Amino acid sequence: MTDRRIVSIFLPQFPIQRWRRNRNAGLEAEAEPALVLLRDGRHGPVIHDLTDAAAGHGLAAGMGISDARTLLPTVQVEQAALEADQAELVRLARWALRWCPWTRPDGADGLLLDTTGSGHLWGGEAAMLGAMVAAFQKIGFSIRVAAAPTLGAAWALARHGATSPAICAPDGVSRDLAGLPVAALRLDEETVTLLHRLGLKTIGALQAVSRTALVRRFRERAPVEANPARRLDEAFGRLAEPLMPEMPPPAPRALRQLVEPILDVDNVTQVLANLLTDLTAELERRGQGTRRLRLTGYRVDGGTAAVEAAAAQATRDPEHLARLFRDRLEGLEAGFGFEVMTLDALVVEEMEDLQWDLSGGDSADLDLTRLVDRLTAKLGREAVLRPVEVAGHIPERASQLRPADLEAAEVLPSGSDGKSRPVRLLRPPEAADVLYAVPDGPPARLVWRRQTHRVVRSEGPERIAPEWWRERSTTRLRDYYRVEDAEGRRYWIYREGLPGDGRGGAPRWFVHGLDA
């Protein structure tokens, strides 16, 4: 029987290296800027990761940005993308399937691989680990890697071992782990602190304590991260800890094997109707709807042809889905005929049964959604757009045109904090002359497009500061006012800068929006 082998890959600089890789920085370590990535902390922004240049000035992960600027006023700042980091880690786990059939992400900065029986395919386990280091280095990531008989031992050696790559023999777990700190057992910070107070700082010291005493002392600590006895059992193989790959459930699919190959669109349409009946029944059983479908035909000559359709909102209405395919079936190249056809739901979402009113009729919102779907199917996804709010404090950056069938989860939260905005924004803002009380009084007269408007009402200012993480230091703040002239016309205007702010000459005025 083949001994079990688990490989733990630790990416100690994963966030900053992913950021650098996406920006194509290509900078040598000595020329790299002092830069930090920020995330939200308990008391404000804190450093998530940082470059070696920043670390050389005393900055460290977990430090507040105010403390970091005290040590290094010129430090460059970028926002960490935690969700993008996790998505990249999932992608790397799939990429690592080249070495073994079972992989999965490990927390926010690691991967776990079950390489049992795979080492000989790479010329031995040492050669396989060396290939992993080289492959990750080639795509811009530095790693620490270890192989061991148990998941716990591999994790401990990868993150706390003296060397990398590290190989732990099946009978060497006790020897290799003895000198490592107790934190290598994947215990939480509170438990590690408690063990230190008891004088138990290494795994060897903890192992010397009788298991009965450990169980008695920590028996009320239910989470495994707070249970040293259980973590020891897992690391030494006394308690099984299976490595289950994180695989998504199979997407709903309908399949029809045809008695005779079909060629014409009418027959394909009939088969599609049957597939939709089967697929929507399965979706209803799961309590789901679909937003994207793929119809695939398998030809008798061994080739395939496929066509896709998308919906703006999850649905399982077979008639509506059939209409989305209506103008696309002509593009299917049947060749000598299709003998098998499949229909796959590529994007599925949870969906509840809804009754719009007592008569059972559809709502106007549903009619609009179906209209968007039909237009998208006919004109293309990039031809049917809708304005959406996105994250951004600067008004012209707070909205974008996105495809009308965009998922709600893809739309970023607005930066306007619920403040009302004018019906129409001018892109770009148009320069104007404004008479106002110096230094920062409200506007009294507006001259715009060669017309003079006497301001009878004004509201403001609403101050919007520059986005310091993306603007130059010379960018000036804006004070926005809502004004109404003597004819009842309303404008959204702003003053750029303040007198004596050191970022330019006299303040300038712009008309940015119009209200009804």
Side-chain angles (χ1 to χ4, degrees):
M1 182 177 177
T2 305
D3 292 328
R4 187 185 188 216
R5 302 299 292 171
I6 301 296
V7 170
S8 176
I9 297 176
F10 173 44
L11 295 93
Q13 294 181 298
F14 176 62
I16 196 69
Q17 289 180 340
R18 190 196 70 83
W19 177 89
R20 184 188 301 128
R21 180 167 174 257
N22 289 352
R23 298 301 191 282
N24 295 319
L27 298 174
E28 299 295 334
E30 59 269 20
E32 192 173 48
L35 181 141
V36 298
L37 300 179
L38 296 184
R39 61 176 171 82
D40 292 334
R42 184 175 301 176
H43 302 293
V46 298
I47 297 177
H48 181 58
D49 203 357
L50 67 167
T51 61
D52 292 338
H57 289 83
L59 278 60
M63 178 183 292
I65 185 58
S66 57
D67 295 335
R69 289 191 183 278
T70 301
L71 292 175
L72 183 61
T74 60
V75 63
Q76 297 182 29
V77 173
E78 291 281 348
Q79 192 66 30
L82 303 183
E83 293 183 1
D85 287 348
Q86 196 61 37
E88 178 73 2
L89 205 60
V90 172
R91 192 193 66 79
L92 288 176
R94 294 170 182 163
W95 179 74
L97 289 170
R98 60 177 66 192
W99 289 295
C100 63
W102 280 10
T103 67
R104 70 171 173 86
D106 178 27
D109 54 9
L111 301 172
L112 290 172
L113 293 72
D114 190 335
T115 59
T116 304
S118 299
H120 71 282
L121 300 175
W122 298 85
E125 195 167 57
M128 180 179 66
L129 297 186
M132 291 179 183
V133 173
F136 275 91
Q137 186 175 10
K138 188 175 181 180
I139 62 174
F141 294 110
S142 58
I143 66 171
R144 288 178 54 87
V145 59
T150 65
L151 190 157
W155 192 95
L157 290 169
R159 294 169 185 261
H160 298 273
T163 61
S164 176
I167 298 178
C168 178
D171 58 353
V173 175
S174 179
R175 177 187 66 251
D176 293 346
L177 298 189
L180 301 184
V182 290
L185 290 176
R186 297 173 291 162
L187 297 169
D188 59 28
E189 185 176 352
E190 181 183 350
T191 304
V192 170
T193 301
L194 178 57
L195 290 173
H196 284 179
R197 290 174 179 172
L198 296 174
L200 304 173
K201 298 183 179 181
T202 66
I203 295 178
L206 186 62
Q207 190 182 8
V209 178
S210 70
R211 191 177 187 284
T212 303
L214 282 179
V215 170
R216 185 186 306 116
R217 180 64 180 81
F218 295 96
R219 63 178 179 271
E220 295 182 359
R221 293 178 173 259
V224 65
E225 296 83 2
N227 193 322
R230 178 163 179 170
R231 283 305 198 193
L232 279 174
D233 289 344
E234 290 173 345
F236 289 96
R238 295 188 290 265
L239 184 64
E241 188 178 10
L243 192 159
M244 301 301 294
E246 295 184 357
M247 300 179 64
R253 161 181 271 207
L255 179 146
R256 285 294 173 107
Q257 295 182 344
L258 309 175
V259 178
E260 295 287 342
I262 60 175
L263 295 165
D264 59 278
V265 173
D266 290 339
N267 287 333
V268 172
T269 301
Q270 182 58 49
V271 174
L272 173 61
N274 296 334
L275 290 170
L276 283 169
T277 300
D278 297 343
L279 186 67
T280 54
E282 173 63 17
L283 289 170
E284 184 174 8
R285 187 187 66 81
R286 297 188 183 193
Q288 295 176 329
T290 181
R291 296 186 64 252
R292 187 173 292 275
L293 294 170
R294 178 189 293 144
L295 176 67
T296 306
Y298 297 82
R299 298 195 295 256
V300 295
D301 61 1
T304 62
V307 64
E308 293 186 8
Q313 183 175 329
T315 180
R316 51 174 180 258
D317 181 354
E319 294 182 3
H320 176 56
L321 293 171
R323 283 194 292 269
L324 301 183
F325 279 101
R326 182 175 299 164
D327 297 326
R328 302 183 177 221
L329 297 182
E330 294 284 355
L332 282 174
E333 294 291 339
F336 294 104
F338 296 124
E339 58 182 355
V340 176
M341 298 201 76
T342 60
L343 184 64
D344 296 280
L346 304 180
V347 179
V348 295
E349 297 177 0
E350 298 300 319
M351 180 179 174
E352 298 179 357
D353 290 320
L354 297 176
Q355 180 176 336
W356 299 105
D357 55 38
L358 294 177
S359 67
D362 292 340
S363 87
D365 291 340
L366 186 58
D367 290 338
L368 177 61
T369 299
R370 290 176 176 175
L371 174 62
V372 169
D373 291 344
R374 291 197 294 271
L375 290 174
T376 302
K378 194 168 189 67
L379 303 177
R381 190 168 185 259
E382 299 303 322
V384 184
L385 307 175
R386 65 183 174 99
V388 297
E389 288 188 314
V390 297
H393 297 282
I394 305 302
E396 58 265 32
R397 296 176 184 161
S399 66
Q400 294 180 2
L401 290 176
R402 301 283 185 87
D405 62 350
L406 187 72
E407 295 185 53
E410 298 178 49
V411 180
L412 298 175
S414 166
S416 63
D417 298 327
K419 296 183 175 65
S420 61
R421 292 293 181 249
V423 176
R424 178 189 173 195
L425 280 183
L426 300 180
R427 291 177 180 266
E430 298 183 8
D433 292 324
V434 174
L435 178 66
Y436 67 101
V438 178
D440 55 0
R445 187 179 67 191
L446 167 67
V447 181
W448 176 55
R449 292 182 179 178
R450 300 182 180 179
Q451 294 188 9
T452 301
H453 306 269
R454 183 170 62 89
V455 176
V456 296
R457 294 183 182 86
S458 67
E459 176 186 330
E462 175 192 344
R463 178 161 293 180
I464 298 180
E467 296 176 335
W468 54 266
W469 58 92
R470 63 193 299 181
E471 303 278 12
R472 293 178 299 178
S473 60
T474 56
T475 303
R476 310 180 82 175
L477 59 80
R478 299 179 181 181
D479 282 336
Y480 277 86
Y481 293 86
R482 289 182 178 275
V483 300
E484 181 180 329
D485 66 10
E487 287 75 31
R489 292 184 288 259
R490 296 179 180 179
Y491 306 90
W492 198 43
I493 65 176
Y494 70 87
R495 177 179 54 228
E496 184 180 69
L498 293 172
D501 61 6
R503 298 187 176 187
R508 299 189 301 164
W509 287 84
F510 295 86
V511 177
H512 201 170
L514 306 176
D515 266 329

